[in-house]
Amino acid sequence: MQILVTGASGYIGAALVPRLSAAGHSVRGYGRSAARITAPVDDVVEGDAIAGTGLDRALDGVEVAYFLIHSMEGPGNGFADLERQAAEHFAAAAAAAGVRRIVYLGGLVPDDGQISRHLASRLAVEELLLAAAPESIAFRASIVIGARSRSFRFLVRLVERMPVLALPAWRDHRTAPVDGRDMLEFLTRSATAPSELSGRSWDIGGPDVMSYGELVERIADAMLVRRPRVGIDVTMTGLASVVASAIAGEDVGLIAPLMESLEHDLLPRHEAAPAFGVRLHSFDAAVERALREWERDEELAAR
């Protein structure tokens, strides 16, 4: 079938393209710069979803479209406005083109209803896209463990560069990190998933539930480093995000909304793996593989 992958130059999109091609699909990439799309797509359409350009041509003849466009940086709540604009343009163009299924990747939401800015934005995008095509599927994921995952790379940099791991009060909240390979398997299988699995969101997590504090400690163990751990019994998200961003060499515009999400448990409410036939890798196996892939291009100072 003809498939469109937006965000084909990003971590998930670039890794998804060859899987879809291997499954026999014709894959078109969409992005602001064709030169940045190095994945083996069959053709590329340049455009900007926020501005709404190039979408009609990109979606022409497409049966399944992957919406993998996320925005984290922007002044104030600007990233949410940008995400909504992109989703509204994409949803309208997909509906006009008769796209059968849109597949979206968002984030897990807390059960207590206290939702962070970036998760609220993901949820708003999800609702728009599910309504735009009759058999759409949305996935909500925890932290993705992969060599190119920015959240994972951020945590590795903290472990590598901080002599003492100072963890705020959110260290005790829990989540279920998912192996990047498993995430890609869910996305690949969603292209041909039966209609009874569509029209809804699916929570995705790995088989290991752990606190954020334990998550950081197990990454440190895999890196073969020992870091003293100091618990700070306040959240301090604003200050902590500025300091952590500087240490990790990341943009605070990305890290601040991510760290807001750590203030709650983010756990799957149901098991998607049996429905999609995906076998999940353990957290330790995911981390070891991600670090090994990372070191093919760059040696880690602490490993």
Side-chain angles (χ1 to χ4, degrees):
M1 72 177 72
Q2 179 68 59
I3 291 179
L4 175 70
V5 176
T6 68
S9 62
Y11 158 50
I12 295 293
L16 177 62
V17 167
R19 287 175 172 251
L20 293 172
S21 296
H25 304 299
S26 177
V27 185
R28 178 182 298 153
Y30 173 81
R32 285 177 289 184
S33 171
R36 293 185 58 195
I37 299 177
T38 58
V41 294
D42 295 290
D43 66 301
V44 177
V45 173
E46 286 190 337
D48 185 340
I50 295 174
T53 59
L55 287 173
D56 291 342
R57 189 158 64 93
L59 289 162
D60 183 37
V62 166
E63 189 172 349
V64 175
Y66 287 83
F67 189 85
L68 303 175
I69 299 172
H70 299 111
S71 178
M72 292 298 291
E73 290 95 343
N77 202 43
F79 72 88
D81 295 333
L82 295 177
E83 283 200 326
R84 175 173 283 277
Q85 288 176 32
E88 288 175 342
H89 288 142
F90 190 85
V99 173
R100 176 175 60 85
R101 173 172 292 169
I102 298 172
V103 181
Y104 175 62
L105 175 60
L108 289 176
V109 296
D111 281 337
D112 60 12
Q114 300 297 313
I115 189 168
S116 69
R117 290 180 298 156
H118 105 269
L119 291 179
S121 180
R122 301 289 191 267
L123 192 57
V125 169
E126 173 189 300
E127 292 170 351
L128 282 167
L129 299 179
L130 284 178
E135 295 186 19
S136 293
I137 295 174
F139 292 114
R140 299 175 180 176
S142 179
I143 295 174
V144 177
I145 306 299
R148 291 187 61 202
S149 165
R150 288 184 75 178
S151 54
F152 176 71
R153 292 180 71 88
F154 168 67
L155 294 173
V156 169
R157 288 303 190 200
L158 292 183
V159 171
E160 183 182 42
R161 297 172 179 176
M162 292 180 65
V164 176
L165 294 177
L167 301 177
W170 48 252
R171 66 187 179 275
D172 294 326
H173 294 131
R174 299 170 300 151
T175 192
V178 61
D179 191 319
R181 293 169 294 180
D182 299 338
M183 171 57 60
L184 290 168
E185 189 65 19
F186 277 109
L187 290 170
T188 302
R189 288 173 179 253
S190 67
T192 55
S195 59
E196 56 263 29
L197 300 182
S198 66
R200 55 166 292 182
S201 64
W202 291 88
D203 288 359
I204 295 176
D208 303 308
V209 174
M210 64 195 71
S211 68
Y212 291 108
E214 182 184 357
L215 186 155
V216 172
E217 288 181 345
R218 288 172 70 171
I219 291 175
D221 287 342
M223 294 173 66
L224 305 179
V225 299
R226 296 291 181 268
R227 295 288 186 262
R229 172 179 166 179
V230 176
I232 303 172
D233 292 329
V234 291
T235 302
M236 302 189 310
T237 299
L239 175 60
S241 61
V242 172
V243 174
S245 299
I247 293 172
E250 269 286 7
D251 191 320
V252 68
L254 168 75
I255 299 305
L258 282 179
M259 291 187 69
E260 288 177 9
S261 302
L262 305 182
E263 298 176 16
H264 309 274
D265 285 348
L266 292 178
L267 299 171
R269 294 163 301 175
H270 50 258
E271 292 188 12
F276 286 85
V278 176
R279 297 178 63 184
L280 300 172
H281 292 84
S282 70
F283 174 76
D284 292 334
V287 171
E288 186 58 41
R289 179 180 175 86
L291 292 175
R292 189 166 60 249
E293 288 186 353
W294 185 329
E295 290 193 305
R296 290 175 187 169
D297 300 318
E298 176 189 359
E299 184 176 351
L300 287 166
R303 186 161 157 85

